Amino acid sequence: MKRFAALFTRLDQTTRTNLKVAALADYFREAADADRVWTIALLSGRRPKRTVTTTLLRRWAAEQAGIPLWLFEESYPIVGDLAETIALILPPPEAVSDAPLTHWISQIGALASLPEEERRARVLDAWSRLEPTERFVFNKLITGGFRMGVSQKLMTRALSQATGIEESDLAHRLMGDWRPGETSFEALILAPDPSADLSKPYPFYLAYQLDGTPDALGAPGAWFAERKWDGIRGQLVLRGGACFVWSRGEELITDRFPEFAPLADALPAGTVIDGEILAWKEEAPMAFAALQKRLGRKTVPAKLLADAPAILYAYDLLEEGGTDIRALPFAERRARLERLVGNAVRDTDLPLRLSPEVPFADWDALATERARARALAAEGVMLKRRDSPYRDGRRKGDWWKWKVDPLSIDAVLIYAQQGHGRRANLFTDFTFGVWSGNQLVPFTKAYSGLTDAEFRKITAWVRKNTLERYGPVRHVTPHHVFEIGFEGIQKSPRHKSGVALRFPRMLRWRHDKPLQEANSLADLEAILAAYGGKTT
Amino acid sequence: MSALLTFTDDGIYCPEGDFYIDPWRPVDRALITHGHADHARDGMRRYLATDLAAPVMRHRLGEISLETLRYGERREIGGVTVSFHPAGHVPGSAQIRVERGGEVWVASGDYKLEDDGLSTPFEPVPCHAFITESTFGLPVFKWRPQAEIAEAMNAWWRGNAAEGRASIIGVYALGKAQRLMRMLDPSIGPILTHGAIENTNAVLRAQGIALPPTLRVTPDLVARDHPGAMVLATPSALGTHWPRRFGPAQTALASGWMGLRGVRRRRAADRGFIISDHADWAALNTAIAATGAERVFVTHGYTSIFSRWLSEQGYDAAIVQTAYEGESLDDPDPATGEEAEKAQGTQSPAAAP
Ligand SMILES: [Zn+2]
Ligand SMILES: [Zn+2]
């Protein structure tokens, strides 16, 4: 596993994309065949099954390290990663091993059928023969949570560099139901694949965030507006009787949305649609959380498919009758899209809808529409110049997103907890309260939104202003006021304050605000009354 | 009779001798373990420290009334005897031993056990009560021998130099920077230093501590005149535009915190070298055992976890609240002069309207 651990170290030691890709490409040129296939599998989310519970691993690691289990358990949240905690805590290895990655993966696989004592013996044996980084990798594999900070997209690019095969071709080869133990590098990657061209997507055109108001954009009549929906951007490619779905990261995600397959029959071949994938029920978008459940998995169980069915909300038409029409003006593409979708979607069982136009007479009217976004579970409005072509990448000028402002409230910092993992030495996890009479009622936690310098500053302050400690939590002197931003609010009997926020974060540190002027529970309840019914 | 040392809102206090150890509020008489800013603060009427710590303290604190003792030299203060013993943390750092009628307490400030080739190595001081830090008081912290880190650092430098890139490491200006300088292989290339570090170098050189030749980075320094340089900067300078002048470069941080992958990643430096001037888990336990102390007071760091561990090992252990800060990855030591302070000043968030 030395070569694989060295790859892991190289990837881990740089934040630069091109260096990561270079490291992977080197690995794909040099590594043994079976290891290459396993690496591709791991980096495309095909992880080995978990064969030992983490409870057992923790116990064995603590025993082996000669420390009580509580001490292991206290260390774990500070390190932030179980595999790493185990790797760090164990005594140094007694021997070395030259066995390849594939060997250790099959060892892990074999554990499933063994009695606990035998499993323990094998895991301890592995730990005693692996260097710390190898151990970390081994632990990641055994706990089934392996991630290397490299997306499938980057892996595909590296593979392309190493083999000279085009990226979209490789992406196509890597989809589907192949298993690393049952295929070879030759069969998976190198053998010719005639259908690859069919799946090829177009580069996505991305909008810029509009700062301020759209007044500077000129005459409203030159612009088309629609909602900015809160799902994931996707491209539906229908060619040769097959259906392919690409994410904005240009990952092929067809397998995750099996309900789109019938579109290959319902629409003419040679059709490519840009749109938003949304979880959809009763002709309305569901909360993003519903869609998120779908994204986490390679295959979709039937229950999830029924609970959170997906549709494509169509924005744009990029290919029609097999012809690339991106150079046509948006208004023309949109007209063709309306015809196409309109014809197909008489049958509402099909997972395809047209993202409706938001008509507006002037910019003030559009501002009013934008303000309604939250109530419609949208994120704001999109503006597209009617005569613009479909460009690629993020370019200024023709497309703008105008997001709705977050809700916000001024709250007092009352509890602080040390961060873990990336922020183990700073206080970054805060609980905030609002006034109820002369008491502060905790109502939300927030972790992000401050600069590193601000986190350092508040950390030094927390150390000197701790009133009490409860385990890792410190109750601090109420003093600092922060503006907390959030995207939605909901009633929640489980919380002391009676509300739960969506995406809370610190917008700014209100040095200017005295403690007494922070908002009250009544203010929070007023926001709940205004917005609580509609968002999730 | 009161305890030999007590813990007050102003610092560690000896009632019998009427003095404080590393106080954080102005007092009449302060005994100082070492020159780091969280231990040696200004505003004390009289200071007492080791002769080796004195130059840095004067550099940082200006005109102070400072008396010095050599390691091991004894001094009667009130009814107690005090002496300073090597803590191995930074040059001149000390554990302070306080004795009254055969009862001995030791306040160790910050310490490490490995001989870093720069600081006088740690010596265990037998005592009844020991005051210890716990910055890295978790069993996940294990340092590798210094020679191994030196090898990795030089290999990294050599590789960068070969590819025409500068190597920039963010380090503490007092102690860590000089320790690294002595680990570097000067045959690879020139060593350039941030002004804050070079100021400290000058103080240490003047007191006879040998350091390899270094070149201060000034605004008119031309980076291409020094290809393949190793640049030592304060951690705060790394986060600014300061490193840009060196053109293509790789960055690294050198700290015990680099032992945690998550911290390494958050910092977005290209490399992390795991090296600390504080004791790791094993060294903390070794040091405490070597004192023979029954009572242990745990100051800054993972205090609650470490004191619980010590209690289970049979010590009478307790947590003490102090204003000491352990190894901060981010803050430059304010000991380090104007530039670092300026950098800090600009980081404070502007008050919002
Ligand atoms: Zn120190
Ligand atoms: Zn300290």
Side-chain angles (χ1 to χ4, degrees), chain A residues 45-46 60 115 138 153 199 326 352 377 383 396 422-423:
Chain A
R46 291 168 174 83
W60 299 340
F138 176 84
K153 162 105 179 133
S199 69
R326 290 176 299 158
L352 181 68
L383 279 166
K396 262 192 180 145
R422 318 186 335 123
R423 291 165 163 181

Side-chain angles (χ1 to χ4, degrees), chain A residues 38-366:
Chain A
W38 259 112
T39 302
I40 295 167
L42 293 172
L43 290 173
S44 58
R46 291 168 174 83
R47 302 182 192 122
K49 274 215 167 62
R50 178 180 291 188
T51 49
V52 181
T53 63
T54 57
T55 313
L56 287 175
L57 288 173
R58 293 166 199 226
R59 198 199 300 155
W60 299 340
E63 283 168 16
Q64 203 59 7
I67 59 166
L69 189 60
W70 71 262
L71 183 52
F72 182 93
E73 299 295 351
E74 290 279 0
S75 302
Y76 170 28
I78 291 163
V79 174
D81 183 288
L82 183 66
E84 185 184 356
T85 310
I86 295 173
L88 290 172
I89 224 155
L90 291 170
E94 291 152 10
V96 292
S97 157
D98 287 326
L101 171 68
T102 309
H103 165 82
W104 292 110
I105 291 177
S106 61
Q107 286 280 321
I108 290 168
L111 295 175
S113 56
L114 298 174
E116 186 179 319
E117 256 324 288
E118 183 61 16
R119 271 189 284 169
R120 178 176 182 276
R122 293 215 184 177
V123 169
L124 293 189
D125 175 64
W127 282 341
S128 75
R129 290 194 290 139
L130 295 169
E131 298 289 340
T133 311
E134 296 178 285
R135 254 184 209 165
F136 173 68
V137 169
F138 176 84
N139 294 340
K140 279 286 184 193
L141 292 170
I142 207 169
T143 52
F146 200 74
R147 277 194 187 80
M148 292 176 80
V150 174
S151 64
Q152 180 161 351
K153 162 105 179 133
L154 285 191
M155 186 264 287
T156 312
R157 187 183 304 169
L159 207 48
S160 169
Q161 287 183 7
T163 59
I165 301 170
E166 243 186 275
E167 276 181 58
S168 61
D169 187 351
L170 288 168
H172 179 249
R173 287 160 182 270
L174 295 181
M175 56 176 294
D177 193 23
W178 58 275
R179 278 161 221 269
E182 298 163 9
T183 186
S184 66
F185 193 70
E186 171 67 29
L188 183 66
I189 301 297
L190 302 176
D193 176 2
S195 66
D197 254 9
L198 288 180
S199 69
K200 217 174 258 179
Y202 294 101
F204 281 79
Y205 181 23
L206 308 172
Y208 259 92
Q209 166 72 26
L210 188 69
D211 291 319
T213 62
D215 298 317
L217 297 182
W223 295 86
F224 171 93
E226 65 191 318
R227 305 255 169 232
K228 181 177 181 343
W229 297 103
D230 187 11
I232 59 162
R233 263 302 269 297
Q235 207 176 109
L236 178 74
V237 177
L238 304 171
R239 292 189 194 117
C243 162
F244 306 93
V245 185
W246 293 86
S247 75
R248 204 191 79 180
E250 289 177 33
E251 265 186 82
L252 203 44
I253 51 173
T254 316
D255 298 347
R256 294 178 207 193
F257 298 98
E259 61 259 74
F260 291 165
L263 291 171
D265 296 327
L267 295 174
T271 297
V272 177
I273 298 173
D274 176 13
E276 191 88 7
I277 300 172
L278 295 168
W280 187 261
K281 220 164 213 182
E282 286 157 16
E283 289 304 307
M286 299 171 71
F288 184 72
L291 184 66
Q292 215 161 18
K293 286 192 197 126
R294 297 281 307 263
L295 297 175
R297 24 216 328 168
K298 284 260 135 175
T299 53
V300 197
K303 178 162 175 359
L304 191 53
L305 209 51
D307 288 351
I311 62 141
L312 184 75
Y313 228 14
Y315 290 145
D316 210 330
L317 186 63
L318 313 185
E319 182 176 310
E320 188 185 41
T323 307
D324 175 1
I325 60 164
R326 290 176 299 158
L328 294 179
F330 173 76
E332 174 61 25
R333 299 197 309 273
R334 171 80 192 185
R336 296 185 186 199
L337 178 72
E338 284 174 12
R339 269 200 303 278
L340 182 79
V341 176
N343 287 338
V345 184
R346 301 234 155 70
D347 169 10
T348 53
D349 285 347
L350 277 183
L352 181 68
R353 299 287 182 281
L354 189 67
S355 164
E357 177 171 5
V358 177
F360 64 104
D362 51 37
W363 295 125
D364 282 350
L366 188 64

Side-chain angles (χ1 to χ4, degrees), chain A residues 389-404:
Chain A
Y390 189 93
R391 301 174 182 275
D392 55 15
R394 197 180 295 281
R395 291 163 187 266
K396 262 192 180 145
D398 288 338
W399 281 20
W400 296 97
K401 54 183 175 191
W402 193 23
K403 284 200 188 180
V404 71

Side-chain angles (χ1 to χ4, degrees), chain B residues 34 36 89 110:
Chain B
H34 66 290
H36 277 150
H89 174 56
D110 295 336

Side-chain angles (χ1 to χ4, degrees), chain B residues 187-310:
Chain B
S187 73
I188 300 171
I191 303 173
L192 309 185
T193 48
H194 186 276
I197 292 172
E198 196 53 36
N199 291 345
T200 310
N201 288 352
V203 174
L204 295 179
R205 283 191 182 110
Q207 73 183 84
I209 293 175
L211 298 174
T214 51
L215 185 64
R216 180 191 294 264
V217 176
T218 54
D220 49 356
L221 178 125
V222 180
R224 13 166 231 294
D225 295 346
H226 309 280
M230 167 64 76
V231 184
L232 298 178
T234 57
S236 69
L238 269 196
T240 66
H241 60 267
W242 189 84
R244 276 191 220 148
R245 69 188 76 195
F246 302 104
Q250 289 273 297
T251 56
L253 288 166
S255 163
W257 293 111
M258 293 294 116
L260 298 185
R261 179 165 174 257
V263 179
R264 259 187 337 259
R265 289 155 62 87
R266 179 175 73 84
R267 294 299 307 197
D270 299 305
R271 276 295 286 272
F273 295 106
I274 307 167
I275 182 167
S276 178
D277 289 324
H278 295 263
D280 68 0
W281 170 258
L284 285 170
N285 282 287
T286 304
I288 291 165
T291 64
E294 284 151 22
R295 301 176 71 183
V296 181
F297 296 92
V298 183
T299 59
H300 48 315
Y302 291 107
T303 48
S304 44
I305 299 173
F306 193 56
S307 67
R308 178 174 170 194
W309 159 259
L310 291 174

Side-chain angles (χ1 to χ4, degrees), chain B residues 38-308:
Chain B
D38 54 325
H39 296 263
R41 296 171 192 257
D42 59 10
M44 315 298 158
R45 209 166 71 80
R46 287 179 289 171
Y47 292 84
L48 180 63
T50 67
D51 51 345
L52 295 177
V56 163
M57 285 178 59
R58 288 212 170 87
H59 166 66
R60 278 200 42 229
L61 303 174
E63 285 300 308
I64 52 171
S65 156
L66 170 62
E67 277 186 274
T68 62
L69 289 179
R70 275 169 288 126
Y71 284 131
E73 192 180 343
R74 292 176 167 232
R75 165 73 62 94
E76 305 293 322
I77 303 180
V80 305
T81 308
V82 301
S83 53
F84 290 66
H85 302 268
H89 174 56
V90 294
S93 67
Q95 311 173 68
I96 297 179
R97 180 184 187 275
V98 181
E99 179 180 358
R100 174 186 63 189
E103 184 187 355
V104 178
W105 288 48
V106 170
S108 58
D110 295 336
Y111 64 92
K112 71 170 178 289
L113 301 202
E114 186 177 28
D115 180 356
D116 63 9
L118 179 74
S119 318
T120 312
F122 180 92
E123 282 172 19
V125 181
C127 58
H128 301 95
F130 186 63
I131 302 170
T132 183
E133 60 150 316
S134 61
T135 304
F136 293 108
L138 289 182
V140 296
F141 294 110
K142 294 177 186 168
W143 312 151
R144 304 296 305 166
Q146 178 165 313
E148 215 172 278
I149 307 300
E151 204 173 296
M153 214 161 52
N154 284 316
W156 178 72
W157 183 14
R158 209 173 283 120
N160 290 337
E163 289 172 32
R165 283 192 296 240
S167 306
I168 309 178
I169 305 189
V171 276
Y172 265 31
L174 169 59
K176 185 78 70 64
Q178 293 76 25
R179 181 181 181 190
L180 256 57
M181 279 172 209
R182 293 174 54 133
M183 291 162 63
L184 291 169
D185 173 359
S187 73
I188 300 171
I191 303 173
L192 309 185
T193 48
H194 186 276
I197 292 172
E198 196 53 36
N199 291 345
T200 310
N201 288 352
V203 174
L204 295 179
R205 283 191 182 110
Q207 73 183 84
I209 293 175
L211 298 174
T214 51
L215 185 64
R216 180 191 294 264
V217 176
T218 54
D220 49 356
L221 178 125
V222 180
R224 13 166 231 294
D225 295 346
H226 309 280
M230 167 64 76
V231 184
L232 298 178
T234 57
S236 69
L238 269 196
T240 66
H241 60 267
W242 189 84
R244 276 191 220 148
R245 69 188 76 195
F246 302 104
Q250 289 273 297
T251 56
L253 288 166
S255 163
W257 293 111
M258 293 294 116
L260 298 185
R261 179 165 174 257
V263 179
R264 259 187 337 259
R265 289 155 62 87
R266 179 175 73 84
R267 294 299 307 197
D270 299 305
R271 276 295 286 272
F273 295 106
I274 307 167
I275 182 167
S276 178
D277 289 324
H278 295 263
D280 68 0
W281 170 258
L284 285 170
N285 282 287
T286 304
I288 291 165
T291 64
E294 284 151 22
R295 301 176 71 183
V296 181
F297 296 92
V298 183
T299 59
H300 48 315
Y302 291 107
T303 48
S304 44
I305 299 173
F306 193 56
S307 67
R308 178 174 170 194

Side-chain angles (χ1 to χ4, degrees), chain A residues 452-530:
Chain A
D452 273 11
E454 286 174 316
F455 275 128
R456 292 196 287 270
K457 210 167 173 188
I458 196 76
T459 295
W461 183 87
V462 165
R463 292 210 170 107
K464 288 174 195 139
N465 292 278
T466 300
L467 299 175
E468 284 167 283
R469 298 168 184 234
Y470 317 95
V473 179
R474 294 188 185 211
H475 179 197
V476 299
T477 318
H479 177 76
H480 289 295
V481 177
F482 289 80
E483 183 179 352
I484 305 297
F486 49 99
E487 299 303 324
I489 185 168
Q490 215 180 9
K491 225 189 190 115
S492 169
R494 291 184 298 117
H495 290 80
K496 206 172 182 180
S497 62
V499 302
L501 306 187
R502 184 173 181 223
F503 296 142
R505 68 223 183 246
M506 291 167 270
L507 293 180
R508 57 194 171 123
W509 190 343
R510 298 294 305 258
H511 294 281
D512 58 317
K513 247 209 177 174
L515 179 65
Q516 291 72 20
E517 289 178 22
N519 282 110
S520 67
L521 193 55
D523 297 332
L524 200 57
E525 282 160 357
I527 299 178
L528 177 68

